[in-house]
Amino acid sequence: MPRTERLCLVWLLIAGLLQSAKAQQHPSILLTRQNIENVRNGVARYPLLQQSWKELKKDADKAIKATIDVPMPHDAGGGVTHEQHKKNYQNILACGVAWQITNDDRYARYVKELLMQYAAVYNTWPRHPRRKDAPGGKMFWQNLNDCVWQVYVIQGYDCIYDYLNADERKKIEDNLFEPIVKELSEVNGDIFNRIHNHGTWSVAAVGMTGYVCGRKEWVDMALHGSKKDDKSGFLAQLNRLFSPDGYYTEGPYYQRYAILPFILFAKTIHQYQPELGIYNYRSGLLKKAVNTALQCTYTNKVFFPVNDAMKDKTYESEELVYAVDIAYSDMQSADDLLDIAQQQKRVIVSDAGVKVAKAIAEGKTKPFAYQPVWISDGADGNEGGLGILRWGSNDDQACVVMKAASQGMGHGHFDRLNILYYDNNTEVFSDYGAVRFLNIETKNGGNYTRENTTWGKQTIAHNTIAVDKQSQYRANEKAGDRSAPRLVYFNATSQYQVVCAEEDHAFEGVQLVRTAILFKPQGAAMPLLIDVFKAKSAAPHQYDLPFWYQGHLTDSNFPITASKTQLLPAGGNYGYQHLWVNGETKMNTANGVITFINNKRFYSTTFLADTNTSVSFVTCGANDPDFNLRNEKAYIITTKAAAGHTFINITEPHGKTNPVAEYTVGFKPQTKDIKLVSDDADNTAFTFTYNKVTYKVNLQYNNKLSFITIK
Amino acid sequence: MPRTERLCLVWLLIAGLLQSAKAQQHPSILLTRQNIENVRNGVARYPLLQQSWKELKKDADKAIKATIDVPMPHDAGGGVTHEQHKKNYQNILACGVAWQITNDDRYARYVKELLMQYAAVYNTWPRHPRRKDAPGGKMFWQNLNDCVWQVYVIQGYDCIYDYLNADERKKIEDNLFEPIVKELSEVNGDIFNRIHNHGTWSVAAVGMTGYVCGRKEWVDMALHGSKKDDKSGFLAQLNRLFSPDGYYTEGPYYQRYAILPFILFAKTIHQYQPELGIYNYRSGLLKKAVNTALQCTYTNKVFFPVNDAMKDKTYESEELVYAVDIAYSDMQSADDLLDIAQQQKRVIVSDAGVKVAKAIAEGKTKPFAYQPVWISDGADGNEGGLGILRWGSNDDQACVVMKAASQGMGHGHFDRLNILYYDNNTEVFSDYGAVRFLNIETKNGGNYTRENTTWGKQTIAHNTIAVDKQSQYRANEKAGDRSAPRLVYFNATSQYQVVCAEEDHAFEGVQLVRTAILFKPQGAAMPLLIDVFKAKSAAPHQYDLPFWYQGHLTDSNFPITASKTQLLPAGGNYGYQHLWVNGETKMNTANGVITFINNKRFYSTTFLADTNTSVSFVTCGANDPDFNLRNEKAYIITTKAAAGHTFINITEPHGKTNPVAEYTVGFKPQTKDIKLVSDDADNTAFTFTYNKVTYKVNLQYNNKLSFITIK
């Protein structure tokens, strides 16, 4: 831990010991007693808040009409009791807020009765029968869900605190919250003390409960870990799970998920102990984390699906609504955050939501400022990171992501130097994401399916080199944990944007260096993706470089003969067992060209080839007895028996087809004649022509890439 | 031809002979001299017209700035010269209209110069080098495109007629239009005289040119055929291509395409010879045809893709903009057409467009009235048809289409009694449509690929029974032409909607009767699709009933073991050669259940099974060397060695999953226990339970289905 961080921790510890009795009024987290009139006025005045309040009230009204149902826990994720307990915590919060806004006692009474019901039965429940981990959850199959339940419920309780009398509070706190805190911090103490998003949900639940119930002991444990030694707990998590750039080591999908307990607990700390300056911790880390989460999305609102990620997750998700509202209201984020809030189409009915909705109503919104950026990974920022190149407006933006981050713990994939390519509001070269049907109980209980390990995590499932038909680190997470890729160079000029990164340990005896460039030649409407991927090795290997493309093949400059009457898998392990081989062609031209159409635009990959080069076309789906896989498609450029090898390929977006007006233009690419000029350990130089102009690209692989000329 | 039609024709012939000299002022088709001030005012007042005018003017302004380019014809569809000549006709019309609206002579001059250029070179061109048919086109590869060119150009010419002096007109008419008319009506006279949409484009081009240029001879030919005997020509086409319900025999995709020349030529006739009463012809056929075209779309705006259809074609296409505007302004169509116009986001800058835009601005729009309807096919309405069931609002509508229409000429598929099922704004059971990459020259010149014949048209590519692994009529178009399916029953009550149709000749010795019912049990949020498909035969056969589903399998009540290490085709011909067999299961339960998820909603098909029943899961894509096929998926319910057989299956939409808010409800269906009660030639009765209530369905296959009870 750097020295400044340590100082900061000491300071926080002292501040913690001096803990004031401030803010023992209710509510005091997202809604506050002193600001409640302002929120009540706001719901009548600002359209976005008004709409959000309407929806919340609809849920609350539905809740108070329904019979209270606190079933004995029984089902796994997606099952009936699982969904009922989820609905209950949502209703508790909705009705708590509704009581604050309307003063209508029916809402508060509902929350009271429901909590009383829980308090009556919670201690009679055994461990969850379908528990997923050991010792496992109690209300839900995972302890994680129990934590989430408490994070929401404690906010609802805070809202109706003043409605309850002392006896009622005592009953709820003694018979429900105290056992839950024990369940989280002791029974599942390992999770509570983990440096992991599950740990954050756990400490947030315990810490927020501690603040609301005035239990200093719980707050201290939550902030500083069970042993109060700051080897675990919230501050340790802030120190170790985020890079200085606010990147969460498990990747964007989990950053989205984890950000909610971080933001909510931070907000609670800020409310009760503003003197701790939690928002300023690690130079305003949480504000950076919110911005970084958003920078890790594309213009279609979806998070970059690196590592175990569900691909339909957007910044419209509730976690980001909280994060955006609080970042804007509490952390001086800029007005471009309002663009995101508008796209989210809702705000939290809260002090923060009023500020956001008011600013939007006043016309302050600016387009969200997506930027080319290197986002470092690792607590000290020296464990690789994500390189993001962006070109064009938010309406039609080219975006390239190079994943050169660290392993990312148990949800990490073996996908170093993978690139994702987006354009025209859609994926072009995609990442499969996780193999999981979230909350669909008939699909392995809604959990990851076995193919997540055998396919989703494997190297060949990604747009990066697999050596000798194996995965990076032979798919061994611990081996992957030991080292991270290294940033060689990142730059974004008006002429080009470039990221270059290196990975030395993924395959024994092979050094990998990849350079991705966005470059718009004169006269081009859209930038080219220039991709130079160098494998250095003394011994001969097979190198497979797949491009998992979205769209439909329309052309190639070489014959492709798809297998007509039989499909066989490409191999037996490392994900190759899941590839059906549709066809393979040995190249006999200096450049190969493959064209496909996607969202009415054409894309051509022109690549350097020689007589050792072959191209295969594959479809995902072999060895998938339960139909868990999507049948996605790739072309794989392969060179066999080579010692070192440098792949050079240029993907050009071009033309368009309009099926309604029935016209097509530009179905042929302008990129031609990639020629290698020189290629050694320190340098790769090549030329290509675009629209009859020749460009020379000169890459220097010094410790810092010293220059690139394109002329 | 029925007697009234013959009388009508005689009357039209007489009227034609008396042809008046009316309307010899210009422009006189979509824009008219007497109404032009009204249009000029309208573009400033009515938002939709204003927007449409802006877009048109942008095109016109771009045109007059560009160099005039009239290249020697060279390329096939989608190629450079093809697209240039297309752009030229669009520019001629845009600039013609722009001159009328603005009086800015630059637009008229551009049209004049471009037409003069064409007049200078047209007669020097040989036949098109890439001609597709014999004798083939001249400006384009197909004569069809030449016709389309002229239909647009003559309107632009009409607009700038008064700008030209007599010499200029003579030059253009003598050197361009007269040769074109000759090219269309003589060189390609076979097409001109065909009862087919290509013929309609041809007669429209010649007839409209005749009216505008005052050449009665051309008008007469166009109306009554080359021989003026009404065995061909526009009136014969109106008589023979449409059913009394306004259904165009080639199907909705081609109805969309064909409607433009019908509507435009009719409008021209109406302008020049209102006394012919063309809009009233065949009891207002054209108005019905527009409504029928729209009834043949789903709420996602897409036309039902039966027969050779591109699946991305919506009612936003230009043809329907013309049709909707003219139907609303000239044919007293109701205000629900304005909904379509609003969705189209444009109107034609024309007399009709003003009326539509004005009515929308006045708030007259009503939701488009989709209705359950039987649409007859055949000139006399007795050659089967389309049965369309609809349930729910335009926001979330269940829709079932049973295709029981006639062969539909060369673009027809062997898909009788096929059903398409839509729900929740998306396809659920889909039709593959055509195998074609429209306008993408690298894909067989943009034309249908060979798989259109070997796959797209075959029976197994559709959701209807294939007998003994063959296609209906052994995929012989002429055999299919000889007979049509028969409507047994259609009814839409508040309790249920039903269509029942019969096909007796598709497979020798097998009679097929299918009944599709939409029925909403008590307490259900959405209706069930109940499907009873009876094959009557004395001899044993194999019956395969596929369901081409969109979505991802999530559950089944029987083990599915997908082939893990090898895929093989399902057969050698009739489309089976294009099926990869993923797995097959012999059933040993009385009901099978298959569940999939599509657009966040679950669908389960529960089907009657016995020990002769097996289910296979297949993916389209075998024997596809050029990657022309989409890899769609089906489950096929098969019964082997049975004489007659009755398939009973119930598809239930249920539950939902919300990946952003992360919850799932109702992933299990409520439909259970389908039990056959009785089944003979005249009757099928069965029971099933939904949410613990038992329903009995009793189908009587009399000549008219006498009753259905569901209790």
Side-chain angles (χ1 to χ4, degrees), chain A residues 25 64 143 231 254 296 378 408 427 476 575 620 636-637 708:
Chain A
Q25 59 180 27
I64 59 175
N143 170 258
K231 288 192 175 152
Y254 277 93
C296 288
E427 291 183 310
N476 181 314
C620 175
I636 302 179
I637 306 173
I708 296 178

Side-chain angles (χ1 to χ4, degrees), chain B residues 28 114 201 237 304 317 334 352 417 501 534 560-561 583 585 633 655 678:
Chain B
S28 214
L114 186 48
W201 280 102
Q237 288 165 354
F304 300 143
S317 74
L417 309 192
K534 193 173 181 61
I560 307 169
T561 302
T585 304
K633 287 168 180 298
S678 66

Side-chain angles (χ1 to χ4, degrees), chain A residues 668-685:
Chain A
K668 285 276 185 192
Q670 297 289 334
T671 304
K672 290 191 173 65
D673 293 331
I674 303 176
K675 285 179 191 158
L676 193 61
V677 175
S678 65
D679 188 32
D680 57 41
D682 300 324
N683 165 281
T684 298

Side-chain angles (χ1 to χ4, degrees), chain A residues 148-192:
Chain A
V148 173
W149 190 92
Q150 183 62 16
V151 164
Y152 282 84
V153 165
I154 196 62
Q155 296 177 66
Y157 179 74
D158 185 34
C159 284
I160 66 143
Y161 193 93
D162 290 345
Y163 174 81
L164 302 170
N165 63 38
D167 274 1
E168 289 163 343
R169 283 183 215 133
K170 185 167 164 43
K171 205 170 268 174
I172 292 167
E173 294 185 14
D174 287 357
N175 296 328
L176 184 61
F177 295 156
E178 187 161 325
I180 284 178
V181 165
K182 193 174 168 185
E183 167 75 19
L184 306 191
S185 63
E186 293 179 30
V187 180
N188 280 282
D190 283 354
I191 293 173
F192 182 85

Side-chain angles (χ1 to χ4, degrees), chain A residues 104 125 251 303 444 559 603 658 682:
Chain A
D104 181 338
W125 289 340
F303 287 92
N444 196 32
Y603 296 86
N658 183 328
D682 300 324

